[in-house]
Amino acid sequence: QVQLVESGGGLVQPGGSLRLSCAASGSTFSIYAMNWYRQAPGAQRELVAGITSGGSTNYADSVKGRFTISRDNAKTMVYLQMNSLKPEDTAVYYCNVGAWGKVYWGQGTQVTVSS
């Protein structure tokens, strides 16, 4: 019922910036939460940032002050602005959406921070 398409990943130098985008389509009226997760090689998938239907946000301590999550009014797009990137931020980043009792995932986009 909800389809997600991600973009914006790539290779960046330490200290650089990237903006990830996730486009949602389908039954977007029922979306109550939009999130970004990431998974580094050999690590567990972790919540990076989330935003509720009311606009409240939350962040992992490791990215607080560097990353910003945002969405459009129609809940068709969610973004993750990533600044001051560190090698430890290297991971596959996944868009995640909750829509009335179901969870949907994007395909993932690779972010590599390396000199």
Side-chain angles (χ1 to χ4, degrees):
Q1 291 185 303
V2 177
Q3 297 80 44
L4 305 174
V5 179
E6 297 163 298
S7 62
L11 176 65
V12 66
Q13 297 283 91
S17 298
L18 285 174
R19 189 176 77 157
L20 305 183
S21 300
C22 177
S25 60
S27 301
T28 56
F29 68 91
S30 63
I31 293 174
Y32 59 84
M34 309 180 83
N35 309 286
W36 287 97
Y37 285 75
R38 70 184 181 187
Q39 187 167 23
Q44 297 184 78
R45 189 172 298 184
E46 64 174 342
L47 177 65
V48 177
I51 185 166
T52 69
S53 60
S56 298
T57 60
N58 65 90
Y59 298 91
D61 288 341
S62 59
V63 308
K64 199 170 297 181
R66 300 188 296 120
F67 291 10
T68 303
I69 188 171
S70 61
R71 57 158 172 81
D72 66 350
N73 292 333
K75 297 182 289 186
T76 57
M77 297 291 295
V78 60
Y79 306 95
L80 186 68
Q81 178 66 47
M82 305 186 295
N83 299 325
S84 302
L85 284 162
K86 305 174 181 179
E88 305 94 278
D89 296 318
T90 296
V92 178
Y93 285 71
Y94 298 91
C95 181
N96 167 275
V97 168
W100 194 239
K102 294 185 178 180
V103 176
Y104 300 87
W105 292 90
Q107 79 285 355
T109 184
Q110 177 71 48
V111 172
T112 302
V113 184
S114 177
S115 59

